[in-house]
């Protein structure tokens, strides 16, 4: 995709979604981190249902450690992989208390050192909590990047690196939100809704989906 096409691509997404934000519900940096860890291989809707009551009660690492792994499992048992996620959330909370004074670090290496936190989670936290120009490449962003021709790559890291090279600086801050929401609601995996896509004519996908018959 040519640079002027990439700029127009994001201009249109920004016009369609002027104030994009994560669909995960959270109350502070810590609960955002927990929500993103819980969202691995789960939907934001499912995570939000489980965390509403949890985040009413628990808003800090100290409160999470006091809650304990067993009760945390009860709160999140509707989420996939809840046993390992509960273990990780307690462990990362203990690490935040021991090494970071109970605060979420604004540092990639420190974030990725936390149990259950990988590059994608670190990117979400750095961008959403701290306003860093990072890109979290989940399945939606990976699909949109490859399908549209915006950023082709065989791995999430390859797509991330390509996106960081091609996205104009004035669009980079919200880029991963636009791409995630576009992939989740329009450029869907099984049946993309090309007939209502704002960037349909810029997209290299050859098998555009026609509008359903009324």
């Amino acid at each position: 995709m040519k640079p002027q096409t990439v700029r127009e691509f994001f201009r249109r997404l920004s016009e369609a979604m002027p104030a994009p934000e994560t669909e995960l519900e959270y109350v502070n940096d810590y609960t955002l981190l927990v929500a993103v860890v819980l969202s691995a291989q789960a939907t934001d809707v499912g995570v939000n249902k489980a965390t509403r009551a949890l985040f009413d009660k628990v808003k800090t690492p100290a409160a999470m450690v006091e809650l304990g792994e067993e009760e945390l499992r009860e709160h999140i048992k509707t989420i996939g992989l809840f046993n390992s996620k509960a273990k990780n959330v307690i462990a990362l909370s203990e690490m935040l208390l021991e090494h970071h004074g109970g605060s979420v670090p604004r540092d990639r290496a420190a974030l990725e050192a936390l149990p259950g936190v990988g590059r994608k989670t670190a990117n979400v936290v750095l961008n959403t909590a701290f306003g860093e120009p990072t890109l979290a490449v989940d399945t939606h962003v990976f699909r949109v990047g490859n399908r549209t021709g915006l950023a082709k790559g065989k791995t999430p890291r390859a797509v991330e690196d390509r996106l960081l090279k091609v996205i104009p600086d004035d669009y980079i801050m919200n880029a991963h939100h636009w791409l995630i929401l576009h992939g989740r609601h329009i450029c869907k995996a099984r049946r993309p809704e090309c007939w209502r896509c704002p960037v349909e004519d810029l997209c290299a996908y050859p098998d555009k989906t026609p509008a359903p018959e009324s």
Side-chain angles (χ1 to χ4, degrees):
M1 197 177 283
K2 294 179 180 179
Q4 62 266 34
T5 307
V6 175
R7 173 167 286 281
E8 178 63 10
F9 188 100
F10 282 98
R11 188 198 67 76
R12 293 188 196 177
L13 291 185
S14 69
E15 190 175 71
M17 296 176 276
E21 54 187 28
T22 179
E23 293 184 323
L24 287 170
E25 297 173 5
Y26 64 98
V27 295
N28 56 23
D29 297 349
Y30 171 70
T31 55
L32 171 66
L33 172 62
V34 171
V36 180
V37 168
L38 295 178
S39 71
Q41 299 180 53
T43 66
D44 287 2
V45 172
V47 171
N48 291 339
K49 285 181 179 177
T51 57
R52 283 179 193 130
L54 175 65
F55 292 161
D56 277 344
K57 183 184 297 187
V58 174
K59 298 178 176 65
T60 65
M64 187 68 78
V65 172
E66 185 176 347
L67 181 73
E69 187 178 328
E70 184 175 346
E71 192 166 345
L72 175 57
R73 281 200 303 268
E74 282 300 306
H75 276 280
I76 66 170
K77 63 185 179 183
T78 56
I79 302 174
L81 307 175
F82 70 93
N83 282 314
S84 60
K85 288 177 180 178
K87 194 177 297 292
N88 283 336
V89 167
I90 295 297
L92 73 82
S93 300
E94 291 172 340
M95 192 175 289
L96 289 176
L97 290 168
E98 184 176 350
H99 298 291
H100 303 288
S103 298
V104 176
R106 186 175 182 166
D107 176 82
R108 175 182 299 284
L111 284 168
E112 291 187 21
L114 298 172
V117 177
R119 185 175 182 86
K120 184 185 77 171
T121 297
N123 279 340
V124 173
V125 173
L126 288 170
N127 179 270
T128 303
F130 300 120
E132 299 285 346
T134 58
L135 276 158
V137 178
D138 67 353
T139 56
H140 300 298
V141 177
F142 185 79
R143 180 176 65 256
V144 171
N146 277 285
R147 180 184 276 169
T148 63
L150 178 66
K152 289 184 175 292
K154 293 183 178 180
T155 65
R157 181 60 188 271
V159 171
E160 178 187 335
D161 290 345
R162 181 63 184 157
L163 286 170
L164 289 172
K165 286 181 180 178
V166 302
I167 296 173
D169 290 346
D170 49 331
Y171 288 117
I172 195 70
M173 196 62 68
N174 288 321
H176 94 267
H177 289 307
W178 284 319
L179 293 173
I180 287 170
L181 295 171
H182 185 66
R184 183 175 290 159
H185 299 295
I186 295 179
C187 196
K188 300 175 182 178
R190 293 186 179 180
R191 192 171 187 271
E193 298 181 4
C194 303
W195 68 90
R196 66 183 192 92
C197 173
V199 293
E200 185 266 347
D201 59 311
L202 307 178
C203 171
Y205 184 55
D207 304 316
K208 300 288 198 306
T209 309
E213 295 182 7
S214 57

